[in-house]
């Protein structure tokens, strides 16, 4: 399509990324409700991960849902809307706890397979890059080189790289896993002294408009922990 953001995985699978801002006094209650009742929602479609923000944002949660195609999502949304348990036990009591909701549709970039952490108990870094207009045809190779340069240092585990199809275009979300925030800090310090990383990042930032980093903690119900 002429307005598509660029190449993507050679299938129709996409990911819906949802971010919710929770009322500050209601965050604990919201998390408890999610952990208690999310199984009602996952009965309808696959949840990839569910996290709360620890650093870089406050009173925010991020969750990712996987769909085979848009027809699949429509069917799931219809089923969820008619699920009396889900609507009554979760949606009705939770809606007053939420201040703002946002969703995006994103695809894995063609050169990235969705990964898993080597073990449970670590932390996730969610990095959002707003790239210059033009899509991966403009900045894709340089961005890939910068990501791979960080991967090559071995201090962090790449989970996934997504680019948006609906939402703010030319947005790329990168999910990293680290054993701890201190391990991540030490690794980044070493990476910034690596000539390969410095050169790759310097080339990629030519296309960068803004960047935001958020440290995420997985909820008890999250498949990715």
């Amino acid at each position: 399509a002429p307005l598509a953001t660029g190449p993507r995985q050679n299938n129709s699978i996409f990911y819906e990324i949802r971010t919710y801002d929770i009322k500050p006094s209601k965050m604990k209650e919201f998390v408890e409700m999610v952990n208690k009742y999310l199984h009602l929602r996952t009965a309808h479609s696959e949840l990839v991960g569910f996290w709360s923000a620890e650093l870089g944002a406050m009173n925010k949660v991020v969750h990712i849902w996987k769909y085979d195609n848009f027809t699949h999502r429509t069917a799931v949304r219809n089923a969820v809307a008619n699920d009396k348990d889900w609507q009554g036990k979760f949606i009705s009591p939770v809606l007053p706890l939420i201040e703002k909701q946002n969703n995006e549709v994103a695809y894995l970039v063609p050169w990235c397979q969705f990964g898993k952490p080597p073990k449970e108990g670590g932390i996730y870094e969610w990095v959002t890059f707003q790239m210059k207009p033009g899509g991966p045809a403009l900045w894709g190779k340089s961005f890939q080189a910068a990501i791979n340069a960080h991967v090559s240092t071995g201090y962090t585990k790449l989970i996934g790289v997504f680019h948006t199809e609906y939402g703010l275009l030319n947005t790329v979300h990168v999910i990293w896993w680290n054993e701890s925030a201190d391990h991540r800090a030490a690794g980044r310090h070493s990476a910034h002294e690596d000539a390969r990383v410095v050169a790759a990042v310097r080339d990629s930032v030519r296309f960068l408009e803004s960047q935001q980093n958020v440290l995420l903690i997985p909820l008890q119900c999250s498949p990715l922990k």
Side-chain angles (χ1 to χ4, degrees), residues 4-213:
T5 53
R8 58 178 183 251
Q9 294 282 12
N10 294 322
N11 56 51
S12 59
I13 292 172
F14 67 85
Y15 299 83
E16 183 176 3
I17 300 170
R18 288 181 164 246
T19 55
Y20 296 170
D21 292 335
I22 310 302
K23 293 178 180 179
S25 63
K26 301 297 184 179
M27 187 66 182
K28 182 175 183 293
E29 183 180 350
F30 178 86
V31 170
E32 289 175 349
M33 291 288 288
V34 171
N35 283 328
K36 184 175 181 179
Y37 290 115
L38 198 69
H39 67 280
L40 298 174
R41 175 61 183 82
T42 55
H44 295 284
S45 67
E46 181 179 351
L47 173 68
V48 173
F50 206 124
W51 303 266
S52 63
E54 181 73 12
L55 296 172
M58 296 182 69
N59 304 302
K60 185 183 291 289
V61 296
V62 181
H63 42 125
I64 305 177
W65 299 86
K66 182 180 180 181
Y67 294 101
D68 297 335
N69 49 48
F70 289 99
T71 300
H72 178 215
R73 181 185 183 276
T74 298
V76 169
R77 299 301 298 173
N78 288 337
V80 167
N82 290 297
D83 186 328
K84 293 182 179 180
D85 276 350
W86 174 246
Q87 295 295 326
K89 294 180 179 179
F90 183 81
I91 295 297
S92 293
V94 158
L95 282 180
L97 313 182
I98 301 173
E99 287 193 329
K100 183 181 178 181
Q101 294 175 298
N102 183 64
N103 73 333
E104 300 170 286
V105 166
Y107 292 94
L108 277 173
V109 297
W111 44 270
C112 175
Q113 298 296 318
F114 203 91
K116 293 184 178 181
K119 60 181 180 180
E120 294 184 2
I123 56 97
Y124 291 80
E125 182 181 8
W126 182 283
V127 190
T128 299
F129 299 90
Q130 187 58 43
M131 310 301 291
K132 292 182 178 179
L138 175 67
W139 41 257
K141 289 184 179 180
S142 294
F143 189 88
Q144 179 181 356
I147 295 297
N148 287 338
H150 281 90
V151 171
S152 70
T153 64
Y155 80 89
T156 185
K157 167 70 175 177
L158 179 63
I159 301 299
V161 181
F162 305 87
H163 68 88
T164 54
E165 187 76 6
Y166 289 100
L168 186 60
L169 295 184
N170 298 294
T171 302
V172 183
H173 299 291
V174 183
I175 308 175
W176 301 93
W177 178 91
N178 289 276
E179 291 186 11
S180 68
D182 286 326
H183 183 264
R184 179 259 184 197
R188 281 186 66 83
H189 180 76
S190 298
H192 290 165
E193 297 179 347
D194 188 314
R196 298 168 300 170
V197 174
V198 172
V201 170
R202 182 179 291 124
D203 183 59
S204 180
V205 295
R206 295 181 295 136
F207 307 107
L208 180 65
E209 300 226 329
S210 66
Q211 176 181 339
Q212 182 181 17
N213 290 35

